[in-house]
């Protein structure tokens, strides 16, 4: 077994070390998901077919984006740049794997832990409270012109 699966496991364990922090982040994302969902439902009540989408599409979009804040790391990800700034990247260059492979494995472990601990509760709460539009059935508009950038 190579070193990169161990780096993945290290990244996963490192970011699951504080389960209470993960719980509070998932509760915060759930609360903001409900806030955004009710704002979108109010908007869809005034304009029912906004952009050709239904209210279930908007609510699904709302909770999926709230769930993916952690795994995509929208508000962070500055660890490597900080190591470059203070010179610790010299240690990273002496590791038994390449710099990009090492940090990719570490980041994939972080994203997996975030997907399990932080993305699940907002998505589950939204799916239980609102009708979601899942990708198992056809959700794309029938006309290809609805997806075009130029709508004359």
């Amino acid at each position: 077994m190579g070193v990169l699966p161990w780096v993945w496991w290290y990244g996963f364990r490192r970011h699951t070390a504080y389960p209470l922090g993960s719980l509070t982040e998932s509760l915060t994302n759930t609360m903001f998901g409900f806030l955004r969902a009710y704002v979108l439902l109010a908007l869809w009540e005034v304009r029912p077919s906004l952009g050709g989408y239904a209210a279930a599409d908007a609510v699904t979009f709302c909770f999926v984006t709230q769930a993916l804040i952690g795994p995509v790391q929208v508000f962070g990800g500055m660890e490597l740049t900080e190591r470059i700034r203070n010179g610790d990247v010299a240690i990273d260059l002496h590791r038994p794997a390449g710099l990009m492979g090492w940090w990719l494995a570490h980041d994939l472990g972080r994203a997996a832990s975030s997907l399990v601990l932080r993305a699940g509760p907002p998505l589950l709460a939204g799916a239980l409270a609102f009708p979601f539009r899942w990708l198992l059935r056809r959700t794309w508009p029938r006309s290809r012109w609805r997806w075009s950038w130029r709508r004359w």
Side-chain angles (χ1 to χ4, degrees):
M1 182 182 236
V3 72
L4 294 181
W6 291 106
V7 174
W8 181 90
W9 181 244
Y10 166 75
F12 185 84
R13 280 188 340 170
R14 179 176 173 211
H15 291 278
T16 56
Y18 301 104
L20 189 61
S22 298
L23 176 70
T24 57
E25 183 179 346
S26 68
L27 288 176
T28 304
N29 285 345
T30 303
M31 190 242 349
F32 278 113
F34 277 107
L35 218 106
R36 289 178 59 206
Y38 281 117
V39 166
L40 288 175
L41 285 175
L43 178 64
W44 252 261
E45 189 175 318
V46 175
R47 302 207 35 201
S49 63
L50 191 62
Y53 297 105
D57 296 328
V59 170
T60 304
F61 170 77
C62 172
F63 277 99
V64 167
T65 55
Q66 282 299 122
L68 289 179
I69 285 176
V72 175
Q73 203 170 18
V74 174
F75 302 117
M78 304 293 281
E79 190 173 350
L80 180 60
T81 57
E82 183 62 33
R83 292 182 70 83
I84 291 171
R85 185 176 300 127
N86 65 16
D88 289 342
V89 75
I91 297 168
D92 294 341
L93 293 173
H94 289 288
R95 290 191 172 148
L99 179 70
M100 289 295 133
W102 183 279
W103 282 100
L104 177 66
H106 181 271
D107 195 51
L108 288 176
R110 178 210 52 82
S113 70
S114 184
L115 194 64
V116 169
L117 293 176
R118 297 175 178 170
L123 202 57
L124 183 66
L128 291 175
F130 298 104
F132 264 23
R133 178 70 62 99
W134 296 104
L135 292 177
L136 298 176
R137 56 189 153 170
R138 184 175 175 198
T139 59
W140 307 108
R142 294 185 190 277
S143 170
R144 68 180 176 94
W145 295 107
R146 290 191 185 198
W147 288 97
S148 69
W149 288 98
R150 298 179 191 170
R151 289 180 58 182
W152 305 103

